[in-house]
Structure formats: C-alpha cells, structure tokens
Amino acid sequence: MSGAADERDRIRAAMDRILTGQPERSNGALTIVALAIEAGVPRNALTQRHLDLKNEFYAKVKERGQSTDAETRLRKQVVRLKELREKDKAELEQLRADVEGLVRVVNQLTLENQQLRGLLWAPDPAVHVLPVQYIPPQPS
C-alpha cells in the first residue's frame, strides 16, 4: 500500500472515530487540526494533499447539523463583541452629553470672567485683586 493511500485510509478512519464520538488520540473536536491529530498525519496533509477529505469531513459535520468548534467559538465572540458595542454606544452617548454640559459651563465661566475683567479695569473698580500665595500640592 502506498504512503498516500495509507494516509487517506488513516484519515477516513479518524474521521469515522471523531464523527461517532470515539476519538483515540485527539480531543474529538470537529476541526481539521483534531482530525489530523487523530489520523496521525500533519495538518498540511489535509489542507494541501487531501483537500477532498477535508471537504468531505466538513460536509459530514454540516450534515449532522453540528457546528464546528471554530464556528461555535466565533459565534460566542460575535455575541461578546455585540455586547461590547452596546456598552461602548452607551458610554459614547454619555460622553457626548457630558461634552455639551461642559461646553455650557465653559461658556458661562468665560462670560463671567469677561464681566469681572471689565469691572476690574473700570475707572472706579468694585473688584479688588487679592494677593495669592502658592501652596504646593501635598503628596498622597
């Protein structure tokens, strides 16, 4: 028996074991990596030399109505990313509302500052500048 034929036989046997839930060498995941481990062949044997067997394996998995481990993992990640997106959306809305409030406060303070400067420079100022002593911040 040639090496390629032996390799194909091992892959088919491994495929049967995984699909029946009786893996001997791998974790039994419905992936090409697990199939390669189960068959005792390098992964590239399925991705380069025996593409028909890889496609057959995925077709059988799909027939059974089971999703692959990669698909399950991706679906979980999609759910997590959607949750993060909603959280980010809420945070962004809050930040936009905060910005509007801060802009109003800055405008109000600017107006008050202009009014106080006007009073300071009036001929008879009602505002007196008080000396300020610098107090350095205390370490925490």
Short mmCIF file of all heavy atoms in Angstrom, two decimals, residues 7-8 11-12 15 32 35 42-59:
data_model
loop_
_atom_site.label_atom_id
_atom_site.label_comp_id
_atom_site.label_asym_id
_atom_site.label_seq_id
_atom_site.Cartn_x
_atom_site.Cartn_y
_atom_site.Cartn_z
N GLU A 7 -2.24 6.98 4.14
CA GLU A 7 -2.59 8.24 4.80
C GLU A 7 -4.08 8.52 4.64
O GLU A 7 -4.76 8.89 5.60
CB GLU A 7 -1.76 9.37 4.16
CG GLU A 7 -1.67 10.62 4.98
CD GLU A 7 -0.68 11.60 4.40
OE1 GLU A 7 -0.90 12.11 3.28
OE2 GLU A 7 0.33 11.86 5.09
N ARG A 8 -4.61 8.29 3.45
CA ARG A 8 -6.04 8.50 3.20
C ARG A 8 -6.89 7.55 4.05
O ARG A 8 -7.91 7.95 4.61
CB ARG A 8 -6.36 8.33 1.71
CG ARG A 8 -5.77 9.44 0.84
CD ARG A 8 -6.13 9.27 -0.62
NE ARG A 8 -7.55 9.49 -0.89
CZ ARG A 8 -8.13 10.67 -1.04
NH1 ARG A 8 -7.41 11.77 -0.93
NH2 ARG A 8 -9.43 10.77 -1.30
N ILE A 11 -6.90 8.80 7.58
CA ILE A 11 -7.75 9.98 7.71
C ILE A 11 -9.22 9.59 7.74
O ILE A 11 -9.99 10.07 8.56
CB ILE A 11 -7.46 10.99 6.57
CG1 ILE A 11 -6.06 11.58 6.72
CG2 ILE A 11 -8.51 12.10 6.55
CD1 ILE A 11 -5.58 12.39 5.53
N ARG A 12 -9.61 8.67 6.86
CA ARG A 12 -11.01 8.22 6.84
C ARG A 12 -11.39 7.53 8.16
O ARG A 12 -12.47 7.75 8.70
CB ARG A 12 -11.26 7.28 5.66
CG ARG A 12 -11.33 8.01 4.34
CD ARG A 12 -11.87 7.08 3.25
NE ARG A 12 -11.78 7.69 1.95
CZ ARG A 12 -12.63 8.60 1.47
NH1 ARG A 12 -13.64 8.98 2.20
NH2 ARG A 12 -12.47 9.10 0.27
N MET A 15 -11.73 10.13 10.75
CA MET A 15 -12.97 10.86 10.51
C MET A 15 -14.15 10.10 11.13
O MET A 15 -14.98 10.69 11.83
CB MET A 15 -13.17 11.00 8.99
CG MET A 15 -14.14 12.06 8.57
SD MET A 15 -14.38 12.16 6.78
CE MET A 15 -12.74 12.31 6.13
N ILE A 32 -10.18 20.40 11.58
CA ILE A 32 -9.14 19.75 10.78
C ILE A 32 -7.93 19.42 11.65
O ILE A 32 -7.29 18.38 11.47
CB ILE A 32 -8.74 20.64 9.59
CG1 ILE A 32 -9.91 20.73 8.61
CG2 ILE A 32 -7.50 20.15 8.89
CD1 ILE A 32 -10.36 19.40 8.06
N LEU A 35 -8.72 16.30 13.48
CA LEU A 35 -8.73 15.20 12.53
C LEU A 35 -7.30 14.76 12.18
O LEU A 35 -7.00 13.57 12.14
CB LEU A 35 -9.49 15.59 11.26
CG LEU A 35 -9.58 14.53 10.16
CD1 LEU A 35 -10.26 13.25 10.68
CD2 LEU A 35 -10.34 15.08 8.95
N PRO A 42 0.31 15.11 9.46
CA PRO A 42 0.45 16.55 9.64
C PRO A 42 -0.79 17.27 9.11
O PRO A 42 -1.47 16.78 8.20
CB PRO A 42 1.69 16.91 8.81
CG PRO A 42 1.97 15.74 7.95
CD PRO A 42 1.29 14.56 8.53
N ARG A 43 -1.07 18.42 9.68
CA ARG A 43 -2.27 19.17 9.28
C ARG A 43 -2.24 19.51 7.80
O ARG A 43 -3.26 19.49 7.13
CB ARG A 43 -2.38 20.45 10.12
CG ARG A 43 -3.65 21.22 9.85
CD ARG A 43 -3.79 22.40 10.79
NE ARG A 43 -2.68 23.32 10.72
CZ ARG A 43 -2.59 24.35 9.87
NH1 ARG A 43 -3.56 24.58 9.04
NH2 ARG A 43 -1.54 25.13 9.89
N ASN A 44 -1.06 19.81 7.27
CA ASN A 44 -0.99 20.19 5.86
C ASN A 44 -1.35 19.03 4.93
O ASN A 44 -1.63 19.24 3.76
CB ASN A 44 0.36 20.78 5.50
CG ASN A 44 1.48 19.77 5.48
OD1 ASN A 44 1.33 18.65 5.96
ND2 ASN A 44 2.61 20.17 4.94
N ALA A 45 -1.38 17.80 5.45
CA ALA A 45 -1.84 16.68 4.63
C ALA A 45 -3.31 16.90 4.25
O ALA A 45 -3.73 16.56 3.15
CB ALA A 45 -1.69 15.36 5.38
N LEU A 46 -4.08 17.52 5.16
CA LEU A 46 -5.49 17.79 4.88
C LEU A 46 -5.70 19.11 4.15
O LEU A 46 -6.65 19.25 3.39
CB LEU A 46 -6.27 17.80 6.20
CG LEU A 46 -6.41 16.42 6.84
CD1 LEU A 46 -6.73 16.55 8.31
CD2 LEU A 46 -7.47 15.63 6.11
N THR A 47 -4.82 20.05 4.37
CA THR A 47 -5.02 21.37 3.75
C THR A 47 -4.34 21.49 2.40
O THR A 47 -4.64 22.42 1.65
CB THR A 47 -4.50 22.48 4.68
OG1 THR A 47 -3.11 22.28 4.93
CG2 THR A 47 -5.27 22.50 5.99
N GLN A 48 -3.44 20.54 2.07
CA GLN A 48 -2.73 20.64 0.80
C GLN A 48 -2.87 19.38 -0.06
O GLN A 48 -3.17 19.47 -1.24
CB GLN A 48 -1.25 20.93 1.05
CG GLN A 48 -1.02 22.29 1.68
CD GLN A 48 0.43 22.51 2.07
OE1 GLN A 48 1.30 21.71 1.77
NE2 GLN A 48 0.68 23.61 2.78
N ARG A 49 -2.67 18.21 0.53
CA ARG A 49 -2.67 16.98 -0.28
C ARG A 49 -4.05 16.35 -0.42
O ARG A 49 -4.38 15.79 -1.46
CB ARG A 49 -1.71 15.95 0.34
CG ARG A 49 -0.25 16.34 0.22
CD ARG A 49 0.66 15.16 0.57
NE ARG A 49 0.52 14.69 1.93
CZ ARG A 49 1.27 15.11 2.95
NH1 ARG A 49 2.17 16.04 2.77
NH2 ARG A 49 1.10 14.60 4.15
N HIS A 50 -4.84 16.39 0.62
CA HIS A 50 -6.12 15.68 0.62
C HIS A 50 -7.27 16.65 0.87
O HIS A 50 -8.08 16.48 1.80
CB HIS A 50 -6.12 14.58 1.68
CG HIS A 50 -4.96 13.64 1.56
ND1 HIS A 50 -4.78 12.82 0.48
CD2 HIS A 50 -3.92 13.41 2.41
CE1 HIS A 50 -3.66 12.10 0.66
NE2 HIS A 50 -3.13 12.45 1.82
N LEU A 51 -7.38 17.64 0.03
CA LEU A 51 -8.44 18.64 0.19
C LEU A 51 -9.83 18.00 0.09
O LEU A 51 -10.76 18.44 0.76
CB LEU A 51 -8.31 19.73 -0.88
CG LEU A 51 -7.14 20.69 -0.68
CD1 LEU A 51 -7.02 21.63 -1.87
CD2 LEU A 51 -7.32 21.49 0.59
N ASP A 52 -9.94 16.96 -0.72
CA ASP A 52 -11.24 16.29 -0.86
C ASP A 52 -11.69 15.68 0.47
O ASP A 52 -12.87 15.74 0.83
CB ASP A 52 -11.19 15.23 -1.97
CG ASP A 52 -10.17 14.15 -1.68
OD1 ASP A 52 -9.05 14.47 -1.17
OD2 ASP A 52 -10.45 12.97 -1.96
N LEU A 53 -10.74 15.13 1.22
CA LEU A 53 -11.09 14.54 2.52
C LEU A 53 -11.45 15.64 3.53
O LEU A 53 -12.37 15.45 4.35
CB LEU A 53 -9.95 13.68 3.05
CG LEU A 53 -9.65 12.41 2.24
CD1 LEU A 53 -8.47 11.66 2.84
CD2 LEU A 53 -10.89 11.51 2.20
N LYS A 54 -10.75 16.74 3.47
CA LYS A 54 -11.08 17.86 4.35
C LYS A 54 -12.49 18.34 4.05
O LYS A 54 -13.30 18.51 4.97
CB LYS A 54 -10.09 19.02 4.16
CG LYS A 54 -10.41 20.25 5.00
CD LYS A 54 -9.53 21.41 4.66
CE LYS A 54 -10.21 22.14 3.51
NZ LYS A 54 -9.81 23.50 3.31
N ASN A 55 -12.81 18.52 2.77
CA ASN A 55 -14.14 18.98 2.39
C ASN A 55 -15.21 17.95 2.75
O ASN A 55 -16.31 18.30 3.17
CB ASN A 55 -14.18 19.30 0.89
CG ASN A 55 -13.29 20.49 0.55
OD1 ASN A 55 -13.03 21.34 1.40
ND2 ASN A 55 -12.82 20.54 -0.67
N GLU A 56 -14.88 16.68 2.59
CA GLU A 56 -15.80 15.61 2.96
C GLU A 56 -16.09 15.65 4.46
O GLU A 56 -17.24 15.51 4.90
CB GLU A 56 -15.20 14.26 2.57
CG GLU A 56 -16.07 13.06 2.90
CD GLU A 56 -15.38 11.74 2.56
OE1 GLU A 56 -14.54 11.72 1.63
OE2 GLU A 56 -15.71 10.74 3.23
N PHE A 57 -15.04 15.85 5.25
CA PHE A 57 -15.20 15.92 6.71
C PHE A 57 -16.13 17.07 7.08
O PHE A 57 -17.09 16.89 7.84
CB PHE A 57 -13.82 16.10 7.37
CG PHE A 57 -13.88 16.24 8.86
CD1 PHE A 57 -14.26 15.19 9.67
CD2 PHE A 57 -13.53 17.44 9.47
CE1 PHE A 57 -14.30 15.31 11.05
CE2 PHE A 57 -13.57 17.58 10.85
CZ PHE A 57 -13.96 16.51 11.64
N TYR A 58 -15.87 18.26 6.53
CA TYR A 58 -16.73 19.40 6.84
C TYR A 58 -18.16 19.19 6.35
O TYR A 58 -19.11 19.60 7.00
CB TYR A 58 -16.15 20.69 6.27
CG TYR A 58 -15.05 21.29 7.12
CD1 TYR A 58 -13.92 21.83 6.55
CD2 TYR A 58 -15.16 21.32 8.51
CE1 TYR A 58 -12.92 22.38 7.33
CE2 TYR A 58 -14.16 21.86 9.30
CZ TYR A 58 -13.05 22.40 8.71
OH TYR A 58 -12.06 22.94 9.49
N ALA A 59 -18.32 18.51 5.22
CA ALA A 59 -19.67 18.22 4.71
C ALA A 59 -20.41 17.29 5.66
O ALA A 59 -21.60 17.48 5.94
CB ALA A 59 -19.59 17.62 3.32
#
